[in-house]
Amino acid sequence: MRMAAPGFTDKKICLDRRVLRCLNRYMPATLQIVQSPEKAGVLLQPGRLRLLEQLTEPDSAAGLARRLGVPRQKLNYHLRELEREGFLELIEERRKGNCVERVVRAVAREYLIAPQTGDRVTADRFSAAYLASTAARMIRELASFCIRARRAGKRVATLTLETEIRFASAQSRAAFAEEMTACIARLAAKYHNEQAEGGRRFRLLSAVYPAVRLEESATESANLE
């Protein structure tokens, strides 16, 4: 059996962390959560989502113009706006003759606009408004954690469970809700430790709502205004 030299494991862990930070710096994130209405307005201008889809790999305005068949001057305006709001990042600048060509890339592959909530909603577990308010809070909190984790070269510890249940009746749905509530309460009591040194607090959100199949949205116009 081969034995690792003293300190080898620690060095490997440090190297892995440096590699992870490097990958996080030079690879687009999976998801960017847009938290302000102003940034959402910039993102949702006609054709801009298509530009971001084309820029998951670095490219310049000239290269993008050739691929899309759109005038470079028109693209430059939209790229500047997207970069100003943090949807694009500068990768490098290349000098070509008397000009400097900027190579940019989308900072994420998908975008989610965080919902905004107004007044605090009464905590009614059977209220659709309360569910929407709680889900909005979860998205905002997750956005904050993702930003901090990416800067630190780390990942956010999360767990997502999703399934569909066809209830035979309203009575069976109510019975399921009561049983699920009791089960979660039992697990929370079992694993919660308020005095644990170094422990981390996690929030659990469990929701049941009608399953719907959303119609496919119309293809986004490729025309840029």
Side-chain angles (χ1 to χ4, degrees), residues 102-146:
R102 293 169 56 83
V103 177
V104 296
R105 185 195 57 198
V107 301
R109 296 184 182 274
E110 295 180 352
Y111 303 87
L112 175 63
I113 298 175
Q116 302 294 317
T117 57
D119 296 336
R120 184 175 179 84
V121 178
T122 303
D124 175 5
R125 63 177 181 152
F126 297 110
S127 165
Y130 181 55
L131 172 57
S133 175
T134 305
R137 180 185 63 182
M138 179 186 68
I139 293 173
R140 292 196 303 272
E141 292 177 349
L142 183 60
S144 175
F145 277 118
C146 286

Side-chain angles (χ1 to χ4, degrees), residues 32 34 38-55 64 74-90 102 104-107 111 224:
Q32 182 179 10
V34 182
E38 293 76 20
K39 291 190 67 170
V42 172
L43 176 66
L44 296 177
Q45 287 291 319
R48 287 183 176 174
L49 285 173
R50 185 172 182 234
L51 293 183
L52 292 171
E53 289 175 357
Q54 296 292 321
L55 287 170
L64 194 58
K74 183 177 290 187
L75 281 179
N76 274 328
Y77 166 73
H78 293 283
L79 296 181
R80 283 197 302 270
E81 289 292 296
L82 290 170
E83 185 177 353
R84 178 175 61 85
E85 294 297 336
F87 296 111
L88 291 175
E89 60 183 347
L90 177 66
R102 293 169 56 83
V104 296
R105 185 195 57 198
V107 301
Y111 303 87
L224 293 171

Side-chain angles (χ1 to χ4, degrees), residues 188-218:
K190 177 180 179 181
Y191 289 99
H192 178 71
N193 188 335
E194 189 67 34
Q195 307 302 324
E197 184 177 353
R200 295 189 61 189
R201 191 176 297 272
F202 282 74
R203 190 187 305 279
L204 170 66
L205 169 61
S206 180
V208 178
Y209 59 93
V212 294
R213 299 194 180 280
L214 301 177
E215 296 180 357
E216 293 185 358
S217 59

Side-chain angles (χ1 to χ4, degrees), residues 7-21 153:
F8 174 78
T9 302
D10 293 340
K11 291 179 181 178
K12 183 176 184 301
I13 291 174
C14 292
L15 177 62
D16 288 345
R17 287 174 179 167
R18 286 196 293 271
V19 170
L20 177 61
R21 292 192 183 97

